[in-house]
Amino acid sequence: MVATLLAVALVAACSSSDTVTATPRPAPVTGEWNGVLPLPNQQLPVGVTFTEDGGSVTVPAQGIFDLPLEQVDIAPDAIAFTIPGLPGDPHFNGRYDRRADVVTGTFTQSGHDLALTLHRGKVPAPLRPQEPRPPWPYLSEDVGYRSSDGTHIAGTLTRPRGPGPYPAVVLVSGSGPQDRNEEIAGHKPFLLLADTLTRAGYAVLRTDDRGVGGTGGQLDTSSYTDLTDDIMAGLGYLRSRPDIDGNHIGLLGHSEGGYLAPLAATRPDSRLAFVIMMAGPAVSGSEVLLAQNQLLLRGEHADADAIRKQVGYITTLTTLIRTGDDEQVRRFATEHNDSLPPEQRQSQSALDQLTTPYFQALVDYDPAPALQALRIPVLAFYGTKDVQVPAAQSAPAARANLAGNPNADVHVFDGLNHLMQPADTGSPKEYPTIETTIAPEVLNYITTWLGKYVTPVP
């Protein structure tokens, strides 16, 4: 998910004490701060957390949470930092006012200067009424195991109280680096799914992606074979436990996880009981990217010429990526980026992503063979307001690819977006403004469908 306009951040450090025996004192800016960026059409609340060795920024309205900062200078009279990975070179320059206990300065992005004053305290969190809170009426355990290449996988296993054995669901996250809760725009959909399914009588395993949280490795250098191996390692771990019913384990994949779950199910040793695809694409990655770009631009009321140019760019880019010529991809993407207005240009790190094995796997993957091979129960569902995996594109393809499976159900929910939230436009910009994490009718549909094929254990 790509953010638009960001906020500030700075970092705290230690200052020397006045005596030899005293311990170092935290810099005066250490702690949580909040302020408001005065944008032309809105007041944008931002939060900044300063620690002794780093800092992060949070902009709830834009789905930005705990984004690390770079190039930080914490001298009270010359506080400065940049926010990496975003267009327009967002950065802040200011100072700390001891008497008023505020940080004042100028936030700059794409050549636009905005005054920003930070006051102590946490930026108000958006309402998330569905987010589960402890104490849990079930057992929750942090777990770890190793994938086939030795990568350590860290996650959380929840299961009902009692000896079991329990049928289990393994959650498979969407694209990009995701934590075990798949936290997006302040929502934690995998935490909610785990809570819902565990209360219904299933054990649930959710894990951090490679390079995230407690999991080792790097996502960018991983292929779909690597990521499928990680899923298989999770299945092996669950089957090693006496409290899990190894014959009744299935996968629930969201978005890109809907690519990986059927792919894992085709492994001869998977022995899966079911697959659930939540907004999982049923066409190739390059086709999904084209549809995404068209819908997002239309949602922003771009003119026909702008849409045509972007479609042409994506078509050529994905064709070059499939050839495997990284140098040609870099040259083409860089030339295109340089031709854009400064406020629309991507960062160098975003351009670098285009030649990673991970992104190449996404662009090149065709899910049809895996879907056509499935003979276990399959549930695939989509939302009509989804602009990331459009229902009009994937639902018909899913029905066609699963036509030979008598236990396949393809369902489309009206008015829901890619996160299965009730939505207006479906734009990712709406995600943080919607209080619902997953529509209740979706949660009910999943548990009802699952109960037809796998009996939960109280």
Side-chain angles (χ1 to χ4, degrees), residues 3-156:
T4 52
L5 184 62
L6 271 79
V8 312
L10 43 116
V11 196
C14 294
S15 59
S16 299
S17 62
D18 295 331
T19 65
V20 175
T21 57
T23 57
R25 296 177 301 176
V29 295
T30 301
E32 294 181 317
W33 300 73
N34 72 91
V36 176
L37 277 172
L39 303 184
N41 300 316
Q42 70 175 127
Q43 300 291 298
L44 187 66
V46 300
V48 180
T49 299
F50 309 110
T51 66
E52 295 183 41
D53 59 357
S56 62
V57 61
T58 294
V59 189
Q62 294 186 344
I64 300 168
F65 294 88
D66 301 320
L67 182 68
L69 304 169
E70 291 183 356
Q71 299 179 16
V72 179
D73 189 336
I74 58 169
D77 292 332
I79 294 173
F81 50 85
T82 64
I83 306 174
L86 297 165
D89 183 31
H91 60 276
F92 176 83
N93 288 281
R95 60 182 297 273
Y96 171 64
D97 185 333
R98 281 182 183 271
R99 179 171 295 182
D101 194 27
V102 296
V103 173
T104 60
T106 302
F107 175 77
T108 304
Q109 186 175 25
S110 299
H112 301 290
D113 294 336
L114 297 171
L116 180 63
T117 299
L118 296 173
H119 303 270
R120 289 196 185 269
K122 191 171 185 177
V123 66
L127 292 176
R128 300 291 183 255
Q130 288 180 297
E131 184 170 319
R133 309 283 182 183
W136 319 114
Y138 47 78
L139 300 177
S140 180
E141 175 187 358
D142 288 339
V143 299
Y145 48 89
R146 296 203 174 274
S147 191
S148 59
D149 65 355
T151 299
H152 178 77
I153 308 294
T156 298

Side-chain angles (χ1 to χ4, degrees), residues 191-234:
L191 175 62
L192 177 57
L193 282 169
D195 180 81
T196 299
L197 292 170
T198 307
R199 289 172 186 267
Y202 303 92
V204 181
L205 175 66
R206 63 190 198 273
T207 60
D208 298 328
D209 285 354
R210 289 190 172 214
V212 177
T215 296
Q218 296 183 33
L219 188 63
D220 286 347
T221 60
S222 301
S223 67
Y224 273 13
T225 298
D226 298 324
L227 301 183
T228 306
D229 286 345
D230 293 349
I231 296 172
M232 299 302 295

Side-chain angles (χ1 to χ4, degrees), residues 33 38 47 151 184 186 214 216 294 296 344 363 365 376 388 405 429 451:
W33 300 73
T151 299
I184 301 171
Q294 289 176 308
L296 289 169
Q344 296 180 18
V363 167
Y365 184 67
I376 57 176
Q388 292 184 261
N405 187 340
K429 294 178 181 178

Side-chain angles (χ1 to χ4, degrees), residues 249-272:
I249 302 175
L251 305 176
L252 189 161
H254 177 220
S255 192
E256 185 185 45
Y259 270 168
L260 297 172
L263 190 58
T266 63
R267 294 277 186 100
D269 55 343
S270 67
R271 295 163 39 215
L272 288 172

Side-chain angles (χ1 to χ4, degrees), residues 253-259 277-283 380-382 389 394-395 398 418:
H254 177 220
S255 192
E256 185 185 45
Y259 270 168
M277 299 164 58
M278 174 175 163
V283 298
F381 58 90
Y382 304 90
V389 178
S394 277
H418 189 59

